[in-house]
Amino acid sequence: MEAKWCSLVTMALLVMLVVVVNGDESSQVKTVVKIVKGKKVCDKGWECKGLSAYCCNQTISDFFQTYQFENLFSKRNTPVAHASGFWDYHSFITAAAEYQPHGFGTSGGKLTGQKEVAAFLGHVGSKTSCGYGVATGGPLAWGLCYNKEMSPSKTYCDDYYKYTYPCTPGVSYHGRGALPLYWNYNYGKTGEALKTDLLNHPEYLENNATLAFQAAIWKWMTPEKKHLPSAHDVFVGKWKPTKNDTLAKRVPGFGTTMNVLYGDQVCGKGDDESMNNIVSHYLYYLDLMGVGREEAGSHDVLSCAEQLPFNQASASASSS
């Protein structure tokens, strides 16, 4: 009888161990573990679907949970936020699930994963913020306030791309999304990658939070041109600087992610306000995630103030 009781208790504990809780009761996920042809394979449900060895590894929701997302973007659903009710944790993790097998948040161990999530969201928070100096909670608490440019001054149609990414009549290609997209060619390229018709329907990015995060993560993971690195590569250390990069003061780390994404819009301009705002969001998020800003690295790793831009012509890629 005692042996039977012990067996029941052991089984109950095993069942408890395979339930992963991501912040609230509605996001409980049961991790399925099986042995297939002598190899351990797992399925984590909504974040890591399908039995695979990869799904047995640590994923973003293991170290970044709902309450942390809420802490980072604590003012996004206030009545004055322009995208109140739009952005949520589930949409971010669902979008990230597409790119975790390629290293997003899963490269180089837990600390590197935490730092990359903070870095990516630091860019997002800065580019979607409506915070200002005396805003309630401080200027860094207002990320994800927007999901689109509120008063576009033009339609961002470049006729140079009329044969590859022709502008749809009556459509505006102003800023939308988590890392706001601008210009017809950027909507076209991103839409092709995501298999979504953003060229004819750019409004999809302001109607679907998962798609908006997917577009931003795709941009983070994808080089602008073949000879350039991605923001992901320069952050996690996959990119090895050439002699020319070293002469241009481009080093692996957060500062060079700004160079990749924005070029001479923020880099090589000394103590630039826009650059400092992005860095401040990153450091703030590291603190809120429990990592600590001391893990961010030295000034030359954090900043691109003295870096020569990779490609000065690339500024229009996210330009307003």
Side-chain angles (χ1 to χ4, degrees):
M1 183 70 177
E2 185 178 341
K4 184 177 181 181
W5 171 252
C6 289
S7 178
L8 288 171
V9 169
T10 302
M11 288 176 65
L13 287 171
L14 287 171
V15 170
M16 290 171 67
L17 284 171
V18 297
V19 175
V20 180
V21 181
N22 289 320
D24 57 47
E25 197 173 335
S26 64
S27 59
Q28 288 186 357
V29 177
K30 185 179 292 186
T31 302
V32 177
V33 181
K34 292 186 177 182
I35 304 298
V36 177
K37 295 182 179 179
K39 293 184 178 181
K40 181 181 174 183
V41 293
C42 305
D43 185 317
K44 286 189 176 181
W46 65 291
E47 186 183 11
C48 200
K49 297 178 182 178
L51 288 168
S52 70
Y54 168 76
C55 290
C56 298
N57 299 330
Q58 187 173 64
T59 52
I60 290 176
S61 68
D62 291 326
F63 59 76
F64 183 65
Q65 300 177 356
T66 306
Y67 77 92
Q68 292 167 303
F69 184 90
E70 296 299 326
N71 287 342
L72 266 56
F73 304 109
S74 59
K75 301 297 182 183
R76 77 186 191 284
N77 288 329
T78 59
V80 296
H82 299 279
S84 181
F86 181 75
W87 303 102
D88 60 67
Y89 173 79
H90 194 280
S91 296
F92 170 65
I93 295 296
T94 302
E98 298 292 323
Y99 298 93
Q100 291 187 64
H102 304 290
F104 178 67
T106 56
S107 297
K110 179 181 177 180
L111 179 59
T112 301
Q114 289 175 306
K115 289 170 64 178
E116 183 175 17
V117 169
F120 169 76
L121 292 177
H123 283 276
V124 169
S126 175
K127 293 298 178 180
T128 59
S129 175
C130 57
Y132 54 96
V134 294
T136 304
L140 303 178
W142 290 83
L144 296 181
C145 176
Y146 295 104
N147 62 358
K148 63 181 177 181
E149 185 181 0
M150 297 305 295
S151 301
S153 59
K154 56 185 179 181
T155 59
Y156 297 94
C157 173
D158 188 342
D159 275 338
Y160 179 80
Y161 295 90
K162 62 184 178 182
Y163 296 114
T164 50
Y165 302 114
C167 300
T168 301
V171 165
S172 174
Y173 298 98
H174 58 266
R176 298 177 179 89
L179 287 178
L181 276 183
Y182 291 85
W183 299 103
N184 51 310
Y185 52 89
N186 283 319
Y187 278 92
K189 285 191 295 184
T190 305
E192 286 176 348
L194 301 182
K195 296 180 172 55
T196 303
D197 187 8
L198 294 179
L199 189 62
N200 288 310
H201 297 283
E203 74 279 3
Y204 287 169
L205 288 184
E206 63 186 80
N207 296 331
N208 185 321
T210 298
L211 183 64
F213 275 128
Q214 282 178 333
I217 300 172
W218 177 80
K219 183 175 179 63
W220 176 265
M221 299 293 292
T222 307
E224 180 71 21
K225 294 183 178 179
K226 286 185 178 180
H227 68 283
L228 297 177
S230 67
H232 166 76
D233 287 344
V234 302
F235 188 81
V236 302
K238 288 182 67 177
W239 169 69
K240 303 301 180 186
T242 64
K243 183 178 179 180
N244 286 339
D245 290 317
T246 302
L247 291 172
K249 299 185 178 180
R250 297 190 290 255
V251 298
F254 185 78
T256 306
T257 68
M258 294 185 283
N259 200 329
V260 170
L261 295 174
Y262 317 119
D264 61 358
Q265 284 187 316
V266 301
C267 295
K269 300 170 67 173
D271 195 31
D272 180 73
E273 182 179 354
S274 179
M275 179 198 72
N276 289 335
N277 184 266
I278 300 167
V279 172
S280 294
H281 277 81
Y282 172 47
L283 297 178
Y284 178 66
Y285 291 173
L286 283 175
D287 287 342
L288 288 182
M289 288 173 63
V291 177
R293 62 183 60 207
E294 62 274 10
E295 293 288 347
S298 60
H299 177 74
D300 63 319
V301 170
L302 269 176
S303 169
C304 66
E306 305 302 323
Q307 293 184 13
L308 292 179
F310 275 113
N311 186 350
Q312 296 192 16
S314 71
S316 64
S318 58
S319 171
S320 57

